[in-house]
Amino acid sequence: MYDPAVLLKDIAARLNKGGRLIIISDYQWQEEKTPKDKWLSGIKVNGENLYALDALKQRLANNFDFIDVHNVDHIQRVNDRQSMVSRNQLTIWQLK
């Protein structure tokens, strides 16, 4: 995603009142897809690490209530004898 901040800023207009927003991500930012200056987390702010959930809460707080968070394992088959497991974070938000 080229600019996640723009998506988060505009997403409320696409939902009905009281609608739910579900975000699932492994938060593995890649410069090939998202320029580093557009990352929401994995950066330092005032000398402190900014974590993904905190960044989402900051960006969505004006329009959404935070409902819940879950970890979801994703298993990706590499070949017949090997798989890769990553842990994604699923967050649920409700439009105010």
Side-chain angles (χ1 to χ4, degrees):
M1 177 179 312
Y2 180 76
D3 195 341
V6 170
L7 172 71
L8 295 177
K9 183 176 97 25
D10 296 341
I11 196 71
R14 298 179 178 268
L15 295 175
N16 293 327
K17 185 176 180 177
R20 293 216 169 165
L21 171 65
I22 297 174
I23 299 173
I24 187 164
S25 180
D26 61 6
Y27 304 122
Q28 296 297 314
W29 298 106
Q30 299 173 4
E31 288 188 78
E32 303 83 43
K33 296 179 181 176
T34 307
K36 194 167 188 171
D37 64 327
K38 298 192 183 299
W39 291 6
L40 300 180
S41 62
I43 57 175
K44 297 242 184 218
V45 175
N46 299 324
E48 299 291 325
N49 291 330
L50 179 61
Y51 295 102
L53 183 56
D54 296 326
L56 287 174
K57 286 179 177 179
Q58 289 174 4
R59 301 235 177 214
L60 295 173
N62 288 338
N63 295 313
F64 290 89
D65 291 319
F66 174 70
I67 303 295
D68 207 355
V69 61
H70 298 277
N71 289 319
V72 179
D73 289 338
H74 175 247
I75 301 170
Q76 183 176 355
R77 184 177 168 190
V78 176
N79 58 43
D80 286 342
R81 299 193 177 274
Q82 190 177 30
S83 298
M84 210 169 40
V85 178
S86 62
R87 176 153 291 164
N88 295 324
Q89 187 175 68
L90 181 142
T91 55
I92 304 170
W93 310 82
Q94 185 157 354
L95 188 62
K96 293 180 180 179

